[in-house]
Amino acid sequence: MTADDVLAAVAASVAALRQGADGDWTAPAGDLAWTCWETAEHLADDLFYYAAHLGSEGYPGYLPFESAPRYPGSEPNTIRSDPAAGPEGLFAGLAAMAALLAAMVRVSPPTVRAEHTYGPADPEAAAAMGVLETVVHTYDVARGLGVSWTPDRAVCARVLKRLMPEVERTGDAWADLLWACGRIALPGRPRREDWRWDNTPRRAEDAVRAPRP
């Protein structure tokens, strides 16, 4: 997984969501409790944090950026978009956070390990996390806005290989990723209620250097 994958995934996401720019951004994003707007902000927040943690190796725990919910009881985010700027402002913010993550992935040595609940992430894992969050949350928002969204299946396959290699594969990597992230059921496999990924480096030379989570 690379910086270019992050940029391509977010560019495709923005192109798809722009079809619903005039839709109801206060509608729930798919089956999530968040609105479409909150979910897009959450995605931007994820991209920001993955980038920031690549640049703060050695800090004990998550970086102490202030965050706040947009509505009482909603998800607190550090990155929030001014609603007055409309969806185009939100899209610009997503593109900017993608560029930030891509830049950090490019300049960070492969030995860097960024803080994450699912284990220390090297730059490749950070890129993979950014792509996973992008394609899956775009699915959520697209459902809420009533627009179509299908990401590059080859990229989905590489995300699974990097972060969820244990997931049983079918002939459709996009469906496999949606199942892996608890979005859909597959034949013979009920919808997941609990799921996570694993940031452990997959290349033997990187795994040797990786500290234990």
Side-chain angles (χ1 to χ4, degrees), residues 83-95:
E88 285 302 321
L90 187 61
F91 300 152
L94 283 170

Side-chain angles (χ1 to χ4, degrees), residues 3 6-11 14 40-52 54 65 77-81 89-106 126-127 130-131 134:
V6 174
L7 295 174
V10 173
V14 168
E41 288 182 324
H42 169 78
L43 171 55
D45 203 61
D46 282 338
L47 299 173
F48 166 73
Y49 265 92
Y50 297 161
L54 283 174
F65 293 113
N77 292 312
T78 297
I79 302 300
R80 296 194 296 173
S81 184
L90 187 61
F91 300 152
L94 283 170
M97 294 304 99
L100 180 63
L101 176 55
M104 289 304 301
V105 169
R106 286 188 175 122
V131 173
T134 297

Side-chain angles (χ1 to χ4, degrees), residues 121-210:
D122 64 5
E124 185 185 35
M129 291 192 297
V131 173
L132 181 150
E133 296 281 2
T134 297
V135 300
V136 173
H137 282 312
T138 300
Y139 169 81
D140 298 326
V141 177
R143 289 183 65 201
L145 296 176
V147 300
S148 61
W149 165 244
T150 303
D152 184 335
R153 285 179 168 81
V155 171
C156 295
R158 287 191 285 119
V159 168
L160 286 166
K161 182 178 180 180
R162 181 60 183 81
L163 298 178
M164 297 173 159
E166 79 289 350
V167 169
E168 182 182 347
R169 305 293 285 277
T170 69
D172 187 342
W174 175 221
D176 294 340
L177 185 57
L178 287 175
W179 177 84
C181 295
R183 265 47 180 195
I184 64 171
L186 288 176
R189 283 190 278 172
R191 185 169 173 175
R192 273 179 148 181
E193 295 185 5
D194 297 304
W195 59 274
R196 59 183 290 152
W197 63 77
D198 179 5
N199 286 330
T200 301
R202 304 302 167 194
R203 294 178 297 183
E205 65 272 22
D206 289 342
V208 169
R209 290 193 291 260

